[in-house]
Amino acid sequence: MPSLEIATNVPKDKVTPTLLLDLSKVLSASVGKPEQYCCVRVVPDQLMTFGGSTEPCALAVLKCIGKLGVEENKAHAAKVYEFMEKNLGIPNDRMYLTFVDMPTSVVGYKGTTFHEILGR
C-alpha cells in the first residue's frame, strides 16, 4: 500500500499524467512492491514558502506497510529527490520528505484492512 503524496507550489501544467505514472514506477521500484498497490498524489499550485522563498518547493509524505527504516529511507529519499529535481525543478534542499510506517490494522483495502488480508 505504498502511497506518496506531494504538495508543491509548482504549477499544475508541469504535473502531467506521464509524470505521475513515472513517479509511480519510481515508488514501486524503491519499496519493492507491485505498482498495482502504489498510489501517487501530487497537489500542485500550493501557496508555499520554504526557507523564506517562494521558489519551487515541496512537502512529501511516503507511507508504507513495512519497507521503511533507517537505511531504506535513505535509498527512498535519494530516488524521490532525484526525480523531483529532474522532473519538477525542485532542488533537494527545498523539500521535506516524511516517512510513515503504517501498521496493517490502520490501512483499509477491498472493504477490510491489510491486517485481515495479510493475516498479521
Side-chain angles (χ1 to χ4, degrees):
M1 67 63 48
S3 69
L4 178 60
E5 184 166 343
I6 301 167
T8 180
N9 60 353
V10 169
K12 182 179 179 181
D13 64 331
K14 291 189 176 186
V15 183
T16 65
T18 299
L19 180 128
L20 291 172
L21 291 170
D22 289 347
L23 187 52
S24 179
K25 287 174 182 23
V26 167
L27 176 61
S28 173
S30 188
V31 297
K33 295 195 179 194
E35 191 177 6
Q36 73 186 45
Y37 297 112
C38 293
C39 183
V40 171
R41 180 176 185 217
V42 178
V43 184
D45 289 322
Q46 298 299 290
L47 301 175
M48 297 177 71
T49 67
F50 193 110
S53 165
T54 59
E55 292 298 312
C57 62
L59 286 174
V61 179
L62 171 55
K63 297 178 183 178
C64 195
I65 295 172
K67 304 294 185 175
L68 300 179
V70 173
E71 295 306 316
E72 295 93 337
N73 293 354
K74 292 176 190 176
H76 301 320
K79 291 173 185 161
V80 171
Y81 278 85
E82 178 183 359
F83 183 92
M84 296 300 287
E85 187 156 7
K86 179 180 176 186
N87 293 280
L88 290 178
I90 298 172
N92 65 12
D93 63 348
R94 296 197 47 79
M95 181 174 98
Y96 287 130
L97 174 56
T98 304
F99 301 93
V100 181
D101 192 355
M102 304 293 290
T104 58
S105 62
V106 302
V107 182
Y109 184 66
K110 291 187 175 182
T112 187
T113 65
F114 274 103
H115 185 267
E116 184 173 300
I117 292 168
L118 300 174
R120 53 183 168 90

